[in-house]
Amino acid sequence: MQNRENEYGMNLFIDSLTDAASEEAEAQLAAWRGASAANERRYAEMKRIWDALSLSVRDERFDAQQAYRVFRVRVQAETGRAEKPRAGRRLSIRRVAAVAAILMPFLFLSYFAGRYRPVASEETPLTEISAPNGSKTQIKLPDGSVVWLNAGSRMQYGSGFGKTDRTCILSGEAYLEVEKNAALPFVVKIDAVTVKVLGTRFNVQAYDDDDEIAVSLLEGNVEMHVNNVKTIHLEPGQMAGYRKTTGEVGISPFATEGAPDWKNNRLVFDGETFEQIARMLERRFNVKIAVHSDRIKKFRFAGEFVRNETVGQIFSVMASGGKFRYRMNGNVIEVY
């Protein structure tokens, strides 16, 4: 009985979100919400998920079938079961978004809340995938390659991706497992840096507010081109770094044990300054960190957080021994 009641409320809610509800249905939804405290809580939860996804965008051209395929991939990743689409059924983007928001668990959505939207271009329309601060997202590209985007990242690619080219534009951080295709090299463009591969596993870190662009190779071969002048060939276990301010390029070794730490929910500090760490925490936890001391900004930390610690727990550890004082007020953290 409870399942039927939840399904009844869910259907009314979806119709309301997708502008398919009549006045009578809106009245029924209001009555369902008022019937019990549990119904109201269920409605509030579904509404929070819907608002967090921000998929309901008007006056933009969406590829509804692509969005629905992405939804199925995410459900399969979460449950381990592939969802079979109903033959001949076409779903509107708003309906897809509503179903996705309600059927997928809230914690999963907050973790994989990626967005899709077309980007205006004079030459060709671009598809954009993004992971807002406080979330990550995974997507299978048209060529079969798989991309994980870290918090605060976005990737764009054209309508010919996988057919006439495999070029994408990245801002932020991404881990990529690229399908081999000798005829169409996979190209990632980041400001003055272009990364070219045929089939490989690698990580690119290129946030707009960071001075360094870093490419780390786990498997295969990568060419890194800087300003179309300098070319660097990477082998597995090597990381190439490019400093935007000075133009310096360097190569250093790194451990290739599996995927990058952030993809596996590990937060690792390896001698970064507090200023750098603050940006990492802002993106990961969707908080604002204000550091009121230039001296503290230069502090360096090393350590690992591997148990999904909260930002409060991380600050408690970092501040131990009186290294600094801090105050948390909602999603704002003041450091002194």
Side-chain angles (χ1 to χ4, degrees):
M1 180 66 71
Q2 184 63 43
N3 287 338
R4 287 180 187 163
E5 187 72 8
N6 285 339
E7 185 177 356
Y8 173 74
M10 181 182 72
N11 287 332
L12 291 173
F13 181 71
I14 292 175
D15 286 342
S16 178
L17 286 177
T18 56
D19 296 332
S22 63
E23 291 185 6
E24 181 181 358
E26 293 286 3
Q28 290 174 347
L29 176 61
W32 178 81
R33 291 175 56 188
S36 70
N39 287 355
E40 182 60 27
R41 286 195 299 271
R42 177 65 174 157
Y43 174 86
E45 180 186 19
M46 293 187 295
K47 186 67 167 62
R48 282 197 302 271
I49 296 171
W50 171 262
D51 290 341
L53 278 176
S54 299
L55 281 172
S56 175
V57 182
R58 297 181 182 273
D59 299 325
E60 290 188 346
R61 294 180 301 155
F62 281 81
D63 183 343
Q65 296 305 307
Q66 181 186 27
Y68 184 55
R69 287 195 296 271
V70 173
F71 163 64
R72 286 168 49 206
V73 168
R74 291 183 176 175
V75 172
Q76 183 177 352
E78 174 67 6
T79 65
R81 298 190 301 272
E83 179 180 312
K84 297 180 180 180
R86 298 181 186 178
R89 184 182 183 187
R90 295 184 63 85
L91 300 179
S92 71
I93 185 62
R94 291 174 62 80
R95 183 88 183 175
V96 169
V99 173
I102 294 169
L103 293 183
M104 300 171 68
F106 177 74
L107 289 178
F108 180 67
L109 286 174
S110 66
Y111 188 77
F112 290 98
R115 303 179 193 169
Y116 289 77
R117 66 183 178 88
V119 179
S121 171
E122 294 181 359
E123 298 178 357
T124 180
L126 298 177
T127 296
E128 179 176 291
I129 313 160
S130 66
N133 284 345
S135 68
K136 304 173 189 175
T137 193
Q138 176 188 351
I139 176 64
K140 190 172 185 178
L141 297 176
D143 70 328
S145 299
V146 182
V147 177
W148 288 260
L149 288 181
N150 202 355
S153 304
R154 68 180 183 274
M155 176 177 282
Q156 300 173 344
Y157 59 87
S159 57
F161 187 94
K163 300 174 184 176
T164 58
D165 68 75
R166 292 201 294 169
T167 300
C168 58
I169 303 169
L170 174 67
S171 173
E173 184 168 16
Y175 169 70
L176 304 96
E177 294 184 352
V178 177
E179 285 288 309
K180 292 183 179 180
N181 186 340
L184 290 178
F186 194 102
V187 177
V188 183
K189 293 186 175 182
I190 322 107
D191 294 329
V193 173
T194 300
V195 180
K196 182 179 179 181
V197 304
L198 294 177
T200 186
R201 295 190 300 128
F202 65 106
N203 191 81
V204 180
Q205 183 175 337
Y207 285 103
D208 292 338
D209 54 357
D210 285 348
D211 181 44
E212 185 178 44
I213 295 174
V215 178
S216 306
L217 180 62
L218 284 81
E219 179 183 289
N221 293 282
V222 160
E223 288 182 2
M224 178 173 164
H225 304 272
V226 180
N227 289 319
N228 294 320
V229 176
K230 188 176 182 63
T231 299
I232 300 171
H233 296 273
L234 290 181
E235 297 180 356
Q238 290 185 328
M239 179 181 73
Y242 166 74
R243 292 202 174 276
K244 302 175 188 176
T245 51
T246 64
E248 294 177 295
V249 179
I251 299 178
S252 60
F254 80 100
T256 59
E257 299 174 359
D261 295 313
W262 65 264
K263 179 178 174 290
N264 293 327
N265 294 333
R266 294 164 58 91
L267 188 60
V268 179
F269 303 146
D270 190 19
E272 289 89 354
T273 65
F274 189 87
E275 186 174 25
Q276 292 172 317
I277 291 172
R279 289 198 295 268
M280 294 167 59
L281 296 177
E282 285 181 329
R283 292 189 287 256
R284 185 178 181 113
F285 294 101
N286 195 22
V287 296
K288 176 64 179 177
I289 301 174
V291 184
H292 301 286
S293 167
D294 290 336
R295 181 178 64 90
I296 295 175
K297 289 180 181 179
K298 297 176 183 177
F299 285 176
R300 294 184 179 272
F301 292 84
E304 293 186 7
F305 296 92
V306 298
R307 297 182 179 178
N308 289 321
E309 288 86 351
T310 66
V311 67
Q313 291 171 325
I314 292 173
F315 262 84
S316 178
V317 171
M318 292 177 63
S320 62
K323 297 183 184 69
F324 59 83
R325 294 179 296 110
Y326 68 96
R327 181 176 60 196
M328 300 182 67
N329 183 16
N331 68 335
V332 177
I333 304 173
E334 306 278 349
V335 180
Y336 307 90

